[in-house]
Amino acid sequence: MKALDKMSDDERFMEMMRALSDPNRLTIMRTLKGNRMCSCQILRHVDVSQPTLSHHMSTLLEAGLVRTIPTGRWYDYEVDEGALEFMKSYIDERLRSRPLVPVHMHPTSIS
C-alpha cells in the first residue's frame, strides 16, 4: 500500500472505504468516536480475539482513520477527526461537482 501522503484523494478515499467495509471495524470506529482507548478497552466492545483486533487496528491505522497516542509502554487509540472531515468533504465535493449520469445514458453504453 502507498503511503497516505503519496495517494490521490480518490485513492485515499477508497482506502478509507475499504477499511470501513468490515462490520467489526465499523464497531471499533463507533466505540472510539469521541473516546481515547487502549486495545483492552476496545476488546470489551468487539467480539474478536486480541490478534484479530490487532489486525483490524492495523487496517484502520494504515487507512488513516485512527491514530495512536503513546502512553508509556502502551498505546491508546482515537479516531482521527481530520480523516472523517476529509471523507465528508470528499463526498460533498463529488456530489456537488459531478452530475450523475443515468446508467442508460452512460457514454460507454451508447452505441
Side-chain angles (χ1 to χ4, degrees), residues 3 7 37 42 44 77 79 84 93 96:
M7 291 182 180
M37 305 172 107
I42 298 167
R44 294 183 195 136
Y77 297 94
V79 170
L84 297 184
E93 179 183 317
R96 266 190 293 114

Side-chain angles (χ1 to χ4, degrees), residues 55-109:
H55 168 75
H56 287 311
M57 296 310 298
S58 291
T59 301
L60 292 169
L61 282 162
E62 288 173 10
L65 291 164
V66 298
R67 61 177 163 228
T68 56
I69 298 98
T71 57
R73 289 180 29 193
W74 310 107
Y75 290 95
D76 282 349
Y77 297 94
E78 67 182 6
V79 170
D80 185 329
E81 295 295 333
L84 297 184
E85 188 55 43
F86 165 80
M87 291 182 76
K88 289 176 192 174
S89 63
Y90 178 94
I91 291 168
D92 184 51
E93 179 183 317
R94 294 317 182 271
L95 290 177
R96 266 190 293 114
S97 65
R98 297 199 175 128
L100 298 175
V101 177
V103 175
H104 68 282
M105 295 183 68
H106 195 276
T108 59
S109 66

Side-chain angles (χ1 to χ4, degrees), residues 11-67:
E11 290 172 318
R12 184 176 175 205
F13 181 78
M14 292 306 294
E15 186 64 25
M16 291 174 165
M17 293 302 292
R18 185 190 65 76
L20 292 173
S21 68
D22 181 277
N24 287 313
R25 289 193 286 266
L26 282 175
T27 299
I28 292 166
M29 290 294 290
R30 278 193 298 270
T31 300
L32 285 176
K33 183 74 171 117
N35 297 302
R36 184 171 153 180
M37 305 172 107
C38 67
S39 58
C40 62
Q41 293 169 311
I42 298 167
L43 272 172
R44 294 183 195 136
H45 299 273
V46 187
D47 188 25
V48 297
S49 67
Q50 207 294 312
T52 300
L53 176 65
S54 181
H55 168 75
H56 287 311
M57 296 310 298
S58 291
T59 301
L60 292 169
L61 282 162
E62 288 173 10
L65 291 164
V66 298
R67 61 177 163 228

